[in-house]
Amino acid sequence: MAEKNDKTTGNNAAGGRVKPLLIEDEMQTSYINYAMSVIVGRALPDIRDGLKPVHRRVLYSMYENGITRDKPYKKSATTVGDVLGKYHPHGDASVYDTLVRMAQEFSLRYPLVDGQGNFGSVDGDAAAAMRYTEARLSRLSEELMADIDLDTVDFMPNYDESLREPVVLPTRVPNLLINGSSGIAVGMATNVPPHNLGEICDGLTALIDDPKLPDDALLMFIKGPDFPTGGNIVQVGEADGIKSMYLTGRGSVTVRAQVSVEPAHQKKDRQCIIVSELPYQVNKAELIIRIADLVKDKKIQNISDLRDESGQQGMRIYIELKKEASPDVVLNQLYKHTNLQLNFNAIMLALVDGIPKVCTLKEILQQFVEHRVTVVTRRTQHLLQKAQDKAHILEGLLIALDKLDAVIELIKKAKTVADAREGLMQKFKLSEKQAVAILDMKLQRLTALETDKIRVDYDETRQQIADYTDILAKKNRIFKIIKQELAEVKDKYGDARRTRILGRVDEVSIEDLIPEEDVAVFLTRNGFIKRMPVTAFRNQQRGGRGITGMETREEDQIDSIFITNTHSYMVLFTNKGKVYRIKVYEIPDASRNSKGQSITNFVQLEEGEQITATIEVSDFSKPGQYLFMATQNGTVKKTEVNEFENLRRSGIIAITLDDGDSLDWAAHTDGRKDVLITTAAGVIIRFSEEDVRAMGRGAAGVRGIALDKGDHVVSMDILEKDDKTNYAIIVSQNGYGKRTRVDEYRCQGRAGRGVRCVSLRDKDRAVKMRIAGNKDSLIIITATGIIIRQKVKDISEQGRAAMGVHLIKLDKGDSVVDIGVIRAEEG
């Protein structure tokens, strides 16, 4: 500690007296000044434009020099030198690093700089030197600079007071939230996550419409952070990190990589984990090294191969597992020991009126709205002043044109320009600006056409003045302009969310580990179910014997086959008119010889209840979607899909059935298609789905086809009204089949008797009808579990009354029970 001395201790070099100070006081004052300098001038973003000074200076310098989106790229060194020389007299590395980060698509959700050259990678590779790279402003940056020349923001002197720079940018986009910000100041830090532009614009619009909107109501519009690298936000435990972050300004969200489990490349009996998206700011190369070290140290023992297969198609880290390994277990170990899962600790700290403050989501949005109100107001005032100045000049010109001869005579007699100006001002009561404008007017403007133009221009300018005055007088108009500009920004730059928000880990993590693939689901009469990938069945020639697709128990047989996707919902309809649903990935993936598992492991069926129909639904909340159902006795019904959104394990009623009837068919439609219903006797009817009104779940439906005595419905399918390219594939019990163009079946009224669609011999009966195209494949399955897959184009095309040809060679006592279609895009 320095000793206090009240006496003068000597003179300094300049001859002045030395002032005694306590070193503690001097250190405290100097440190506070340093801290505030770092806080305000370096580390924290302004809440209005979301930029730190160096970011703002780089963008403004590029704008000022015309390095915009519509101009050629310029060397990065040009921009760095200009920023250093004019606005930011610090190290060139800090300026170039700033420029580089604003150009990296994996760092900023919406890059502000359009870079050309090597700007680094997600592997942690550094950007090339500034003399090699080129850059220009991105399209979005133009929105940050919009109207900056219209006196919308304040300017301040640069470091040497030779130039002026903007204090803040008049941004139309809420940059602090869409791109986030991070920085370490003195005694404080900020870490704002990036968000989706469309969601933020929706939240701002809602807040403008209702300024008293509760904080938690904003979560209806803004779901959570949206990182440039994608990934999944999950909730671990009871704490809701997103809600805490938005309501308090602080919170922690858990981010996981996007992974899938697939068969290994060379060893089909093994599985591999594919990592396609990483958490934000995770270094891919370091992650791979970390996994390799864990395997080497035997902390993870079930990984046999590891490599980086990333390329132009995107990120792909390949982790091959040992034969006996469980993907779930390995993933949990990777989540625990590596950055495949990490916490993003958010601190919503920004400068509000130059003072650092931790803000809630609503406060950040409010500050942006206030900034936009100021910008729009100042812009309107500027435009109003320009319009008033213009109108003032035009008024003078019109006075001159109305008294043209007198004006010309006065000017001709004037000895000097000053005399002419003074004469005009005195004789015609003009201002100096009006007089100067008259003297500067070209002779060509004295023509009748030019005179009319001046009058039209004057009228338009007066209208503009009235409009600008009205805007300034009515704050609602300012808010309307802000909302309109937000909508334009959203339409122009909005995109789909990259980061999925999955909720609690234990609820959804299993689905994220299941590969999305097309599968065939098999159901037996006794209620056993399993799934297999459609790639397990290769195409065969017509009349082949097929392969075993499913072993059945004694007294059991295959009842149906269903082609779907592992991530879709499989909606199950029963003979008693009830409906259930399960996720397809929950069904066991089994080998061809496996019997599968009982359906009662997944849904609670009543005694005597059997699954009779299955359909695929991926989204139950989408409006304008319907389930169209048909019963064995020919009753049909249409119900909106959203009525089945809250399905329980115990099921709900889908249709009220008459005694002896059974709900056997269903389809997912848009309410505007044609319906084809086939009977066992080989009759088919085609009618418009619009003939059936939408009904509630408890309704009994209406007549779809009039059946002959002893006949019953065996299948139903849907097709587009103007479809002329697809075929109706009809297969009989004895293995005969054909394809007939759908336009051979004319559309008739609902409840008709239909027309003949196939000729049947002996005791043969029609089994199923499906709509398919020439590029699709048909799967035929028999009661004993034999499956054959054929190309639709190889099936004989015949007329309505034809019998068809042999499609499958059946063993004695066997029969066809169902057919399925593998669409061309499904492989």
Side-chain angles (χ1 to χ4, degrees):
M1 180 185 296
E3 294 183 1
K4 188 172 182 179
N5 189 351
D6 294 332
K7 296 182 179 180
T8 301
T9 56
N11 296 332
N12 59 19
R17 299 173 64 85
V18 177
K19 183 179 178 181
L21 291 171
L22 280 175
I23 192 169
E24 300 97 316
D25 295 340
E26 180 63 24
M27 288 288 290
Q28 186 178 37
T29 302
S30 298
Y31 189 75
I32 290 174
N33 291 337
Y34 164 74
M36 289 307 298
S37 174
V38 171
I39 290 168
V40 176
R42 190 184 307 175
L44 298 185
D46 191 293
I47 197 168
R48 296 169 292 179
D49 62 7
L51 297 173
K52 302 174 187 177
V54 64
H55 296 83
R56 192 178 300 114
R57 287 163 178 167
V58 169
L59 296 176
Y60 181 68
S61 173
M62 296 178 77
Y63 171 80
E64 192 180 32
N65 291 324
I67 313 176
T68 53
R69 177 72 179 181
D70 56 340
K71 302 291 175 51
Y73 292 93
K74 293 280 186 171
K75 286 289 185 183
S76 300
T78 301
T79 298
V80 172
D82 191 69
V83 173
L84 289 177
K86 292 181 178 179
Y87 308 115
H88 200 75
H90 302 287
D92 60 353
S94 64
V95 178
Y96 185 51
D97 288 347
T98 297
L99 187 148
V100 166
R101 188 175 185 276
M102 289 194 291
Q104 292 174 336
E105 293 186 350
F106 53 87
S107 292
L108 264 64
R109 180 64 176 83
Y110 300 92
L112 301 178
V113 171
D114 178 15
Q116 180 171 268
N118 175 15
F119 277 83
S121 73
V122 74
D123 286 321
D125 299 320
M130 69 180 82
R131 60 182 178 275
Y132 298 122
T133 62
E134 298 177 334
R136 63 186 178 187
L137 291 177
S138 68
R139 286 176 57 211
L140 186 68
S141 291
E142 297 173 4
E143 304 298 335
L144 272 75
M145 297 292 177
D147 305 322
I148 196 170
D149 298 324
L150 301 181
D151 191 32
T152 50
V153 293
D154 292 332
F155 279 69
M156 63 181 182
N158 67 340
Y159 67 93
D160 63 359
E161 299 187 357
S162 61
L163 297 168
R164 296 178 66 79
E165 60 177 306
V167 175
V168 66
L169 297 185
T171 174
R172 289 184 180 181
V173 296
N175 184 61
L176 178 61
L177 287 173
I178 67 169
N179 275 325
S181 183
S182 62
I184 300 174
V186 179
M188 60 186 70
T190 185
N191 201 22
V192 182
H195 292 78
N196 183 270
L197 175 61
E199 292 182 5
I200 297 298
C201 289
D202 290 341
L204 283 165
T205 302
L207 190 60
I208 292 172
D209 290 336
D210 182 8
K212 296 182 179 179
L213 192 71
D215 287 44
D216 53 358
L218 287 169
L219 274 64
M220 297 171 56
F221 305 96
I222 302 171
K223 308 300 182 183
D226 188 21
F227 298 109
T229 52
N232 302 312
I233 294 177
V234 297
Q235 180 181 336
V236 180
E238 298 299 324
D240 189 340
I242 294 177
K243 190 172 183 179
S244 173
M245 174 180 64
Y246 288 159
L247 299 187
T248 69
R250 297 176 182 269
S252 178
V253 294
T254 302
V255 188
R256 280 186 172 181
Q258 173 68 7
V259 300
S260 60
V261 180
E262 301 177 1
H265 285 334
Q266 304 296 331
K267 304 167 185 175
K268 298 303 180 183
D269 59 338
R270 299 189 180 187
Q271 291 179 300
C272 66
I273 296 171
I274 303 299
V275 181
S276 55
E277 296 174 8
L278 290 178
Y280 186 44
Q281 295 178 328
V282 169
N283 185 308
K284 175 160 62 72
E286 291 180 359
L287 172 68
I288 293 173
I289 293 172
R290 172 63 177 164
I291 296 174
D293 289 340
L294 289 170
V295 174
K296 182 179 178 181
D297 297 339
K298 297 186 178 180
K299 290 184 178 180
I300 300 179
Q301 300 183 357
N302 287 316
I303 294 178
S304 61
D305 192 11
L306 171 68
R307 57 179 177 268
D308 186 0
E309 297 181 346
S310 303
Q312 292 183 346
Q313 281 68 42
M315 182 179 297
R316 182 181 170 91
I317 302 175
Y318 177 87
I319 305 172
E320 185 176 303
L321 307 182
K322 294 181 179 178
K323 187 175 182 179
E324 69 281 0
S326 166
D328 291 351
V329 173
V330 175
L331 271 169
N332 285 333
Q333 291 173 331
L334 290 171
Y335 290 147
K336 180 179 180 181
H337 298 295
T338 74
N339 281 339
L340 281 183
Q341 173 178 309
L342 53 76
N343 291 331
F344 184 94
N345 298 310
I347 306 173
M348 313 267 271
L349 178 69
L351 293 174
V352 182
D353 296 327
I355 299 172
K357 181 182 178 183
V358 175
C359 301
T360 65
L361 175 64
K362 184 176 181 179
E363 289 173 338
I364 295 176
L365 296 177
Q366 287 174 329
Q367 288 289 333
F368 179 77
V369 171
E370 289 178 12
H371 177 54
R372 288 303 300 161
V373 169
T374 302
V375 168
V376 172
T377 301
R378 291 183 59 165
R379 180 183 68 194
T380 307
Q381 290 171 340
H382 179 80
L383 294 174
L384 174 61
Q385 185 61 53
K386 287 186 67 176
Q388 289 173 337
D389 292 344
K390 181 179 179 182
H392 182 65
I393 298 299
L394 291 174
E395 286 173 355
L397 295 180
L398 289 174
I399 291 173
L401 292 171
D402 287 341
K403 301 175 180 179
L404 185 58
D405 293 338
V407 169
I408 294 174
E409 187 66 25
L410 187 151
I411 295 173
K412 286 171 62 178
K413 291 181 178 180
K415 293 182 178 181
T416 64
V417 174
D419 291 342
R421 183 176 65 246
E422 290 297 327
L424 289 172
M425 293 168 60
Q426 292 177 8
K427 184 171 183 178
F428 299 107
K429 308 300 182 185
L430 300 175
S431 69
E432 184 175 353
K433 289 183 179 179
Q434 289 174 324
V436 170
I438 292 171
L439 292 173
D440 290 342
M441 185 170 59
K442 294 181 179 180
L443 289 176
Q444 68 181 26
R445 302 200 70 181
L446 300 180
T447 63
L449 181 61
E450 287 296 321
T451 301
D452 289 341
K453 286 183 179 180
I454 292 174
R455 296 185 188 279
V456 170
D457 193 11
Y458 178 70
D459 292 339
E460 291 177 350
T461 304
R462 295 300 301 173
Q463 291 177 5
Q464 291 175 354
I465 291 172
D467 186 47
Y468 295 146
T469 304
D470 187 64
I471 290 173
L472 294 173
K474 298 176 181 177
K475 200 162 186 178
N476 284 341
R477 286 206 61 189
I478 294 178
F479 286 136
K480 186 176 180 181
I481 291 170
I482 295 171
K483 287 167 57 178
Q484 180 181 346
E485 291 176 349
L486 284 172
E488 291 172 357
V489 166
K490 179 183 175 181
D491 291 342
K492 193 172 182 180
Y493 305 100
D495 57 2
R497 167 174 279 278
R498 296 181 187 176
T499 301
R500 292 158 291 275
I501 300 176
L502 304 180
R504 292 178 63 93
V505 175
D506 54 348
E507 293 175 354
V508 294
S509 59
I510 294 177
E511 179 176 351
D512 297 328
L513 304 180
I514 301 297
E516 189 169 355
E517 62 177 345
D518 297 302
V519 293
V521 177
F522 301 91
L523 277 164
T524 73
R525 186 159 296 174
N526 288 349
F528 283 86
I529 188 170
K530 76 168 186 178
R531 66 178 168 94
M532 294 176 60
V534 295
T535 52
F537 309 103
R538 58 181 176 84
N539 284 310
Q540 299 183 38
Q541 296 299 316
R542 177 176 62 80
R545 297 191 64 88
I547 61 173
T548 299
M550 185 174 186
E551 290 288 342
T552 56
R553 302 172 187 268
E554 294 181 7
E555 307 301 327
D556 196 9
Q557 68 176 39
I558 299 292
D559 195 50
S560 63
I561 183 174
F562 179 58
I563 309 300
T564 182
N565 185 282
T566 49
H567 282 207
S568 293
Y569 281 105
M570 186 173 178
V571 183
L572 311 172
F573 298 83
T574 72
N575 58 335
K576 293 190 176 183
K578 292 183 69 175
V579 60
Y580 305 80
R581 78 175 182 188
I582 57 175
K583 272 288 190 179
V584 174
Y585 68 77
E586 295 176 352
I587 302 168
D589 186 7
S591 64
R592 288 194 295 111
N593 296 324
S594 170
K595 297 180 176 62
Q597 292 186 15
S598 172
I599 191 68
T600 56
N601 291 327
F602 310 102
V603 294
Q604 296 175 354
L605 297 178
E606 299 176 4
E607 186 175 352
E609 191 174 14
Q610 293 182 333
I611 304 296
T612 52
T614 54
I615 64 169
E616 173 186 356
V617 178
S618 57
D619 184 1
F620 282 85
S621 62
K622 190 175 181 180
Q625 300 295 304
Y626 299 87
L627 295 187
F628 196 94
M629 295 164 272
T631 73
Q632 199 173 78
N633 290 347
T635 298
V636 296
K637 177 184 172 183
K638 182 170 70 174
T639 303
E640 289 194 53
V641 169
N642 56 24
E643 294 208 26
F644 300 91
E645 187 169 4
N646 299 316
L647 284 175
R648 301 182 294 271
R649 182 178 171 85
S650 56
I652 58 176
I653 291 293
I655 187 173
T656 300
L657 296 171
D658 295 332
D659 292 340
D661 202 358
S662 171
L663 173 59
D664 285 2
W665 298 275
H668 187 194
T669 80
D670 60 7
R672 299 185 296 273
K673 291 184 168 54
D674 282 353
V675 180
L676 275 76
I677 294 178
T678 315
T679 74
V683 173
I684 193 168
I685 186 173
R686 176 178 179 177
F687 60 87
S688 172
E689 184 187 350
E690 294 173 330
D691 292 347
V692 182
R693 64 178 177 83
M695 310 174 200
R697 290 191 297 104
V702 295
R703 174 64 54 192
I705 183 173
L707 298 172
D708 291 335
K709 187 176 181 180
D711 199 6
H712 64 275
V713 174
V714 294
S715 62
M716 180 195 80
D717 210 342
I718 59 173
L719 74 159
E720 300 292 340
K721 286 184 178 296
D722 56 352
D723 192 337
K724 294 183 179 180
T725 59
N726 283 326
Y727 296 86
I729 312 297
I730 300 173
V731 180
S732 76
Q733 200 170 1
N734 291 341
Y736 287 88
K738 64 173 182 176
R739 61 186 171 113
T740 305
R741 288 191 175 274
V742 293
D743 55 5
E744 288 199 29
Y745 303 106
R746 62 179 176 82
C747 196
Q748 55 183 278
R750 176 181 61 78
R753 304 193 67 85
V755 295
R756 174 66 53 188
C757 66
V758 64
S759 295
L760 300 169
R761 61 170 60 180
D762 301 330
K763 297 181 180 180
D764 199 8
R765 308 292 278 173
V767 174
K768 285 286 164 44
M769 176 272 303
R770 289 286 184 270
I771 303 299
N774 271 337
K775 295 182 179 180
D776 300 331
S777 296
L778 185 73
I779 281 188
I780 303 173
I781 187 164
T782 74
T784 59
I786 300 299
I787 292 177
I788 189 170
R789 173 175 173 175
Q790 299 178 8
K791 293 181 178 179
V792 169
K793 67 179 181 180
D794 292 340
I795 300 172
S796 177
E797 180 180 348
Q798 300 182 2
R800 286 194 295 107
M803 181 182 70
V805 296
H806 254 122
L807 298 183
I808 183 171
K809 189 173 182 180
L810 298 171
D811 291 335
K812 188 176 181 180
D814 201 2
S815 62
V816 175
V817 294
D818 199 9
I819 61 176
V821 175
I822 301 176
R823 304 297 173 190
E825 62 269 18
E826 296 171 349

